[in-house]
Amino acid sequence: LSECAEAIVRAKRVVIFTGAGMSADSGIATFRGQGNGIWNGIIGKLALVYFGTPFGWRWTPSFAWRQYVQKFYKPIAEADPH
């Protein structure tokens, strides 16, 4: 544990990956959360089949990237950190 603490102190930047609860607190939609989950409902299920597998990325990569940026990257980049 002390080695980990020392590495964090020496680091220029630190990124910590957590569960969906932390993201939701910052206004980032979760995958299966109540109400605003990205994969919820019929549209979400269709999106999961298309964008949650290599299928959509292989057949329409530019569309898949646009969706990725809109649904994932942009909310994360604009979120207020805890």
Side-chain angles (χ1 to χ4, degrees), residues 12-81:
K12 198 177 210 180
R13 294 187 175 105
V14 176
V15 175
I16 299 172
F17 293 94
T18 66
M22 294 291 286
S23 301
D25 289 347
S26 293
I28 299 167
T30 62
F31 288 103
R32 294 176 298 271
Q34 291 285 1
N36 72 341
I38 292 171
W39 306 137
N40 284 351
I42 189 68
I43 300 298
K45 301 275 188 272
L46 293 172
L48 173 58
V49 169
Y50 196 76
F51 298 112
T53 65
F55 175 78
W57 292 87
R58 191 174 303 127
W59 287 87
T60 56
S62 62
F63 183 64
W65 272 112
R66 248 189 340 270
Q67 292 301 308
Y68 171 79
V69 168
Q70 179 183 349
K71 302 243 187 251
F72 296 102
Y73 177 77
K74 186 176 177 190
I76 292 168
E78 293 176 351
D80 291 325

